[in-house]
Amino acid sequence: MPQKVAVLGTGKIGEALLSGMLRGGWPPADLLVTARRADRAEELRTRYGVVPVTNAEAAKTADTLILTVKPQDMGTLLDELGPHVPADRLVISGAAGITTTFVEERLTAGVPVVRVMTNTPALVDEAMSVISAGSHASEADLAHTEEIFGSVGKTLRVPESQQDACTALSGSGPAYFFYLVEAMTDAGILLGLPRDKAHDLIVQSAIGAATMLRDSGEHPVKLRENVTSPAGTTINAIRELENHGVRAALIAALEAARDRSRELASGKKD
């Protein structure tokens, strides 16, 4: 039977999790939510039939607590929760850069903690959620976390030492693709296409390419080579991308995102 699950700090990702869990069969009465504003809590109650509570009530009542606040707010939330979280609760941290050790040190000794980095495609049930166990988390805790986040996409277990890299790659990843589509749309306009037609061409191409990457089993190099004929249009475009250092820029960008994730773990805000 479903356990009571509380989502604390219910923003867009938290709301996506709620809706996914409801589709997965969780009774609304077993889903608790907290929000900073009373009107937001009431909005969630009206929309989903879930139960708004305070953070302290969530800690006392729910079997699983999912912390979805911003990294810079995690310390304050944990200070509030600490006195109320029994050792048999599962705590799932969804804040970028926040380590399981950071969470464990602020809760009752022995509380199982799981760290998860998901991304905004949770809003359309296509999330990539990366899961790591804290020092007290069991196989059952990991499986329960996978059940929750599997309701909005795919899950992958990794050692926590790889979480910052995963945050850079998939947590922030959708933004890179949106940025690329934005740039390609501008290029389409420069080439003489109306914005709406350029947008439709690029979005469908992206969907098709992603589906091929997922379903074909082919390496991306092979798929690219299949489009790249000798002396053709594609190889000329690829040459310009290489001339402008696009590959190196992407690597540098992901390194910067990884480094920022590490900084968030240390409490640096700026």
Side-chain angles (χ1 to χ4, degrees):
M1 293 295 292
Q3 296 181 325
K4 285 189 179 294
V5 176
V7 180
L8 283 69
T10 312
K12 288 185 178 180
I13 292 293
E15 184 175 353
L17 276 175
L18 281 177
S19 61
M21 292 173 71
L22 288 166
R23 290 190 297 276
W26 258 273
D30 287 337
L31 297 177
L32 314 179
V33 296
T34 78
R36 184 170 292 179
R37 303 188 329 270
D39 59 333
R40 171 62 173 166
E42 186 58 35
E43 176 188 347
L44 293 167
R45 183 209 297 270
T46 302
R47 185 175 299 168
Y48 300 107
V50 295
V51 183
V53 293
T54 66
N55 289 330
E57 288 169 340
K60 296 173 184 176
T61 307
D63 302 287
T64 300
L65 306 174
I66 306 175
L67 315 183
T68 63
V69 298
K70 295 178 180 179
Q72 53 267 37
D73 296 328
M74 184 64 79
T76 301
L77 175 61
L78 290 170
D79 288 343
E80 181 181 354
L81 292 177
H84 307 291
V85 180
D88 61 350
R89 299 292 190 261
L90 169 60
V91 175
I92 300 173
S93 171
I98 300 299
T99 65
T100 56
T101 299
F102 180 94
V103 179
E104 289 166 350
E105 289 175 345
R106 288 158 176 80
L107 299 175
T108 302
V111 171
V113 176
V114 175
R115 178 177 172 181
V116 180
M117 183 75 264
T118 192
N119 57 18
T120 55
L123 296 167
V124 292
D125 292 345
E126 291 291 350
M128 184 72 251
S129 300
V130 184
I131 296 170
S132 300
S135 57
H136 307 297
S138 67
E139 172 61 32
D141 295 324
L142 290 171
H144 185 49
T145 303
E146 287 174 330
E147 181 184 12
I148 292 172
F149 284 84
S151 66
V152 292
K154 289 191 173 184
T155 62
L156 177 70
R157 294 189 195 183
V158 302
E160 188 169 10
S161 61
Q162 297 176 0
Q163 273 281 357
D164 292 323
C166 291
T167 297
L169 209 61
S170 68
S172 300
Y176 313 147
F177 290 101
F178 299 146
Y179 182 86
L180 181 61
V181 168
E182 178 188 358
M184 291 177 69
T185 300
D186 288 343
I189 295 168
L190 179 66
L191 296 173
L193 292 170
R195 177 175 293 276
D196 58 342
K197 288 185 170 58
H199 176 81
D200 289 347
L201 286 166
I202 295 160
V203 169
Q204 185 56 40
S205 295
I207 292 170
T211 302
M212 291 176 71
L213 281 167
R214 184 189 64 191
D215 297 344
S216 69
E218 296 280 4
H219 193 281
V221 170
K222 176 63 175 175
L223 294 174
R224 179 180 60 76
E225 288 176 344
N226 289 343
V227 189
T228 310
S229 55
T233 59
T234 305
I235 191 60
N236 273 273
I238 296 295
R239 180 188 63 186
E240 287 303 312
L241 291 173
E242 294 292 350
N243 286 342
H244 286 80
V246 171
R247 187 186 303 265
L250 283 171
I251 293 172
L254 267 67
E255 288 178 333
R258 177 207 58 197
D259 294 346
R260 180 55 180 157
S261 182
R262 291 174 176 171
E263 290 174 353
L264 288 170
S266 69
K268 185 176 181 179
K269 296 183 179 182
D270 297 324

